[in-house]
Amino acid sequence: MNPSSRSGSVLHCNRRPVLRLRRARRGGLILIVVLVMISLLSLLAASYAFMVQANMRGAMAIHHRFQAQMAAESGFQRAVAVLRESRNDAGIWYNNPQLFRAILVEGTEEEAEADTQQQIAKVSETGWYDTSAKPAWRFSLYARNSDDPVTVRYGVTDETSKIDLNRVTEAQLRRFLELTIPQDTANPVDINVLVDSLLDWREPGNQPRPNGAKDEYYQGLEPPYRSKNAPFSTIEELLLVRGFSAWVLFGEDYNRNGLLDPNEDDADASFPPDNGDGILYAGIAPYLTLWSRETNMSSDQRPRINLNMQDTQKLQELISEQFSAEIVNYVLSVRASGMAFNSVMNLLPAPPTPESEEAPPEDGLPPDLQPPPDDSTTTQPTTNPADGFDAGLQDGSTDLSQSESASEKSQTAKPPEFKDLTQEVPPGTYEDLPLILDRLTTDPVPLYVGRLNISTAAREALASIEQLTDAEIDAIVAARVDLSPEERRTPAWLVARGVLTEHKFRWILPRLALGSSVFQVECVGYADHVGVMDRMNVVFEMRGPIPQVLYKRRLNNLGTAYMPHGEEIRAAQQQAPVNR
């Protein structure tokens, strides 16, 4: 064999393993690349799937949040519907779980009962909601229960049950603050500073009271600002006033539910700060309002009959339909003599002044002998009720209505002496008093502003009526627990039940409201199948059948305030928090 051909075949044979090795290496590299690509694609697919799932859950969360908001709005609409029909029957809207607790927005309770019980059992056992269950959205209307602070009330709150921040006098404010703010803390609150600073803030002028503050004080703060020198626009505005800290305004009740939650009774263990004494200090905010308004209308939404109307023939026709002949004849006799009524209480015999109380000075006239308001030719207001009030706010005036002016005059340092208008003894009795208070007036103003509903006001708010002693306030709170709906319509039960003397009742009557045109609701929307909740606070005025929202705020940022499914869920969540 040719040596050259032999060497060529040897070289050819030597190349084959090299080529096979190169091909094997190339195939292994491709496999690695393919595996890496598959891994990357898998990661991308998983990431995309996770993103889609997250977006779906986010969209579902937004959907649930919106539905919770609509459920809360449904609670507000339920309150409006009830007030349209029964505004003057506090027995229906004040505390009524059947109308305002755990109300289904859609469907019937019978349809949802089985699923609801299953959901409660599941959450109690596992701490998880079954989001695949049949949707069941509900609402509840919560309110503070001033008669039983350890529980809540399911209903509507009338704003006349609170102290009007823009109308309260210095003496009323001082007594209220002294009763409400505890002084057993390490840093006691100076009531004098609070009273003077509040009055300085809402009144015009640049000269502060001895313990108050005007521009000179506020300009020295960081950041500086000016004294408003005008009525308050919100209750939270008090935080701008000297001395009014968040603790004074809201106390230990961080979530503002009126209940003593565990974190509000653990001293310094957790927020908010509290003294751990087992008693909730809720601040002064729950007892204050800017909208204490009452229309001068009877319980059937008709204008009250003005005893001083100039048309005595029309007056006779109106009162003859509802009152006895003796009362009608007495009214006409007084008017025929040229006199005018200055109180509907003139229809009842004047009570004697208690011997233990001093008579007023000779140069001071008691309320029943004050000059009457201007006569009116009609029993109906000639202007929109809100127009006069709003105009007063716009010009910065804090003057009260005619009725309030009489109220201020009646709050003298010494008890007044009441006298009958004529020698003839008035024929009215205290059995007639509920009808007299409801149907008649001597003041034709369209609105009463700043009065207090003694049937619904908290004890702290009742303290603003200076003539009431602490014992009388306690008696009022105790007696009204079992009031009937008819009794709640007027304050006549104070005398009928012997809570106050006839003299004391007549003395404080100009400060008392018979009803309210402005209401507040706290609506909570939630579901049985998901742990989403929406909490909304609304203040609104009922102008006839039309609600006008005056203040609206969502309170979700304050955290969970209620466990709407009841104590069973609350206890379960304390042991095993619900996962959401």
Side-chain angles (χ1 to χ4, degrees):
M1 179 179 294
N2 190 343
S4 60
S5 61
R6 184 183 301 173
S7 62
S9 61
V10 171
L11 290 174
H12 181 72
C13 292
N14 291 337
R15 287 187 187 137
R16 288 179 180 175
V18 174
L19 292 175
R20 285 197 296 268
L21 180 60
R22 288 179 178 176
R23 290 172 182 171
R25 288 178 177 176
R26 187 182 304 166
L29 180 61
I30 293 174
L31 178 61
I32 293 174
V33 171
V34 170
L35 291 176
V36 170
M37 293 296 295
I38 292 175
S39 299
L40 291 176
L41 290 174
S42 299
L43 289 175
L44 288 175
S47 299
Y48 181 75
F50 180 79
M51 181 186 69
V52 171
Q53 186 179 26
N55 289 338
M56 287 288 292
R57 289 187 176 182
M60 188 60 66
I62 295 174
H63 173 68
H64 287 158
R65 174 65 65 188
F66 178 75
Q67 287 190 306
Q69 291 178 3
M70 293 300 99
E73 292 283 354
S74 298
F76 167 61
Q77 294 300 330
R78 164 63 66 88
V80 170
V82 171
L83 290 172
R84 282 196 184 113
E85 299 295 329
S86 309
R87 184 186 313 178
N88 294 288
D89 191 349
I92 292 180
W93 52 259
Y94 183 71
N95 189 11
N96 193 335
Q98 292 183 343
L99 286 178
F100 301 121
R101 181 184 183 186
I103 305 301
L104 273 173
V105 175
E106 183 178 3
T108 63
E109 192 64 47
E110 290 75 13
E111 297 174 351
E113 180 65 24
D115 291 337
T116 299
Q117 295 303 322
Q118 291 179 3
Q119 286 295 320
I120 292 176
K122 182 177 179 63
V123 174
S124 300
E125 180 181 354
T126 66
W128 290 86
Y129 286 96
D130 183 5
T131 56
S132 63
K134 182 180 179 180
W137 291 96
R138 301 176 182 268
F139 66 80
S140 292
L141 267 59
Y142 292 93
R144 295 175 182 270
N145 192 342
S146 58
D147 294 331
D148 187 6
V150 300
T151 63
V152 296
R153 177 168 55 84
Y154 296 95
V156 181
T157 301
D158 56 314
E159 290 297 283
T160 52
S161 66
K162 305 175 185 179
I163 300 171
D164 196 312
L165 189 58
N166 286 324
R167 312 282 170 166
V168 63
T169 65
E170 179 177 352
Q172 295 165 1
L173 180 62
R174 185 178 302 278
R175 189 184 184 201
F176 162 68
L177 294 177
E178 289 175 348
L179 175 66
T180 307
I181 300 177
Q183 292 291 359
D184 57 350
T185 59
N187 300 310
V189 177
D190 191 337
I191 301 297
N192 294 321
V193 171
L194 297 183
V195 172
D196 285 0
S197 299
L198 187 151
L199 297 175
D200 282 344
W201 181 269
R202 77 180 191 188
E203 295 176 358
N206 296 318
Q207 183 62 37
R209 287 174 167 78
N211 298 288
K214 285 289 188 179
D215 284 347
E216 182 179 358
Y217 172 82
Y218 297 112
Q219 287 292 308
L221 301 178
E222 186 60 39
Y225 54 92
R226 292 184 177 276
S227 175
K228 187 176 184 181
N229 298 341
F232 287 86
S233 300
T234 65
I235 300 300
E236 290 82 0
E237 189 181 320
L238 275 172
L239 294 173
L240 297 174
V241 180
R242 177 188 179 188
F244 285 89
S245 63
W247 184 84
V248 170
L249 200 58
F250 303 115
E252 303 165 341
D253 192 16
Y254 176 73
N255 57 9
R256 305 188 203 177
N257 64 353
L259 299 172
L260 186 63
D261 295 312
N263 65 313
E264 297 168 350
D265 190 34
D266 59 1
D268 297 329
S270 64
F271 186 84
D274 61 81
N275 55 13
D277 62 352
I279 301 174
L280 178 67
Y281 167 57
I284 64 174
Y287 313 110
L288 300 176
T289 183
L290 305 176
W291 304 284
S292 179
R293 310 179 193 173
E294 174 194 4
T295 56
N296 198 358
M297 310 279 281
S298 61
S299 59
D300 58 0
Q301 295 303 300
R302 292 189 297 177
R304 291 192 175 103
I305 303 170
N306 180 16
L307 291 176
N308 293 321
M309 63 189 305
Q310 292 182 355
D311 190 345
T312 55
Q313 183 176 356
K314 179 67 173 178
L315 174 63
Q316 180 180 2
E317 294 176 0
L318 292 173
I319 61 177
S320 296
E321 298 174 357
Q322 305 176 59
F323 293 92
S324 65
E326 291 79 9
I327 292 180
V328 173
N329 292 334
Y330 180 77
V331 170
L332 297 178
S333 174
V334 171
R335 293 299 310 278
S337 66
M339 301 182 67
F341 292 90
N342 44 58
S343 170
V344 295
M345 297 301 293
N346 293 145
L347 297 177
L348 280 70
T353 302
E355 295 181 359
S356 60
E357 297 176 344
E358 298 179 77
E362 295 181 359
D363 58 347
L365 293 177
D368 281 4
L369 298 182
Q370 294 288 346
D374 294 337
D375 289 352
S376 174
T377 58
T378 176
T379 61
Q380 298 195 32
T382 57
T383 59
N384 187 310
D387 292 341
F389 180 82
D390 291 342
L393 285 183
Q394 289 170 0
D395 63 13
S397 172
T398 56
D399 291 340
L400 307 183
S401 65
Q402 297 178 35
S403 59
E404 290 178 302
S405 177
S407 173
E408 293 298 325
K409 293 177 182 178
S410 71
Q411 296 177 25
T412 57
K414 298 179 181 180
E417 180 183 359
F418 299 104
K419 295 181 179 180
D420 295 329
L421 292 179
T422 65
Q423 295 296 324
E424 180 185 357
V425 177
T429 66
Y430 278 90
E431 285 72 23
D432 301 317
L433 186 57
L435 186 61
I436 290 174
L437 294 176
D438 182 47
R439 303 293 183 177
L440 302 178
T441 184
T442 60
D443 194 348
V445 295
L447 275 180
Y448 296 135
V449 185
R451 293 185 171 190
L452 197 65
N453 189 340
I454 207 164
S455 298
T456 56
R459 188 185 191 281
E460 291 79 358
L462 292 175
S464 66
I465 303 179
E466 305 156 86
Q467 294 84 359
L468 293 177
T469 65
D470 291 344
E472 289 170 337
I473 293 176
D474 291 338
I476 290 171
V477 173
R480 70 187 184 187
V481 173
D482 59 346
L483 289 178
S484 66
E486 291 74 19
E487 288 178 304
R488 285 186 180 272
R489 290 181 180 177
T490 73
W493 61 270
L494 292 170
V495 177
R497 293 199 172 205
V499 178
L500 298 180
T501 65
E502 296 178 8
H503 184 275
K504 180 60 71 73
F505 174 79
R506 196 158 180 167
W507 192 7
I508 70 170
L509 182 60
R511 286 276 287 120
L512 305 185
L514 275 69
S516 180
S517 62
V518 183
F519 302 88
Q520 178 181 213
V521 291
E522 185 171 323
C523 314
V524 175
Y526 63 98
D528 293 343
H529 61 292
V530 291
V532 180
M533 185 183 302
D534 186 78
R535 185 181 174 200
M536 179 179 69
N537 178 254
V538 185
V539 179
F540 60 101
E541 182 172 14
M542 292 298 296
R543 297 190 173 186
I546 307 299
Q548 179 181 6
V549 175
L550 304 175
Y551 177 90
K552 184 176 182 180
R553 180 181 179 184
R554 292 203 132 75
L555 303 177
N556 300 318
N557 59 331
L558 298 180
T560 301
Y562 307 103
M563 302 298 177
H565 290 102
E567 289 297 327
E568 183 179 2
I569 295 294
R570 183 188 295 259
Q573 287 185 332
Q574 289 175 353
Q575 298 171 5
V578 174
N579 297 285
R580 298 178 180 175

